[in-house]
Amino acid sequence: VRLVQSGGGSVQPGDSLTLSCAATTFTLADYAVYWFLQAPGKEHEKISCISAVGGTTPYYADSVKGRFTVSRDDAKNTVYLQMTSLMPEDTALYFCAQGYYSDCADPDQELDFWGQGTQVTVSS
């Protein structure tokens, strides 16, 4: 297993959660890391991406911009997705994925490996 996720759970609207995506067998610092969500009955949706240090600024989908923040701690070989002001519409299975290249904006970017997914449920 190359990417191990943690941090999901059930919360109420307005709450916060932080998801983690840790690399186990390689140096995550060298790669762009993406976050996707998959809501019930829907396709994967790319919601965020963070490049390796020195790359382009993080990407956020409009649906999460201003509420979610992606960050990385290369010393811990981990990428985080801090989610605030959670809404019921954020309920989904969340995945991290490692890009083949270091920058989110690379036009030839591919997704090499995926985390196992973690469920986030937002309800009152």
Side-chain angles (χ1 to χ4, degrees):
V1 177
R2 288 175 64 94
L3 294 174
V4 177
Q5 294 181 229
S6 61
S10 296
V11 296
Q12 295 186 334
D15 284 352
S16 300
L17 272 178
T18 298
L19 307 183
S20 300
C21 176
T24 59
T25 59
F26 67 104
T27 302
L28 194 58
D30 296 336
Y31 302 96
V33 177
Y34 294 76
W35 286 97
F36 290 79
L37 64 80
Q38 186 172 24
K42 297 187 178 180
E43 298 290 324
H44 281 93
E45 176 188 355
K46 183 175 70 176
I47 58 172
S48 186
C49 180
I50 185 166
S51 299
V53 170
T56 54
T57 56
Y59 162 85
Y60 297 99
D62 288 343
S63 59
V64 306
K65 198 172 295 183
R67 300 187 300 121
F68 291 10
T69 302
V70 64
S71 62
R72 63 193 311 152
D73 185 338
D74 291 335
K76 295 183 178 179
N77 224 17
T78 301
V79 169
Y80 302 96
L81 184 68
Q82 182 180 6
M83 307 184 294
T84 64
S85 302
L86 283 162
M87 304 183 295
E89 304 90 279
D90 297 319
T91 295
L93 194 58
Y94 286 71
F95 296 89
C96 62
Q98 173 218 328
Y100 185 80
Y101 297 105
S102 63
D103 199 302
C104 299
D106 194 309
D108 296 321
Q109 188 64 276
E110 300 176 359
L111 298 174
D112 266 0
F113 297 96
W114 292 73
Q116 81 277 17
T118 186
Q119 179 68 37
V120 173
T121 302
V122 186
S123 69
S124 54

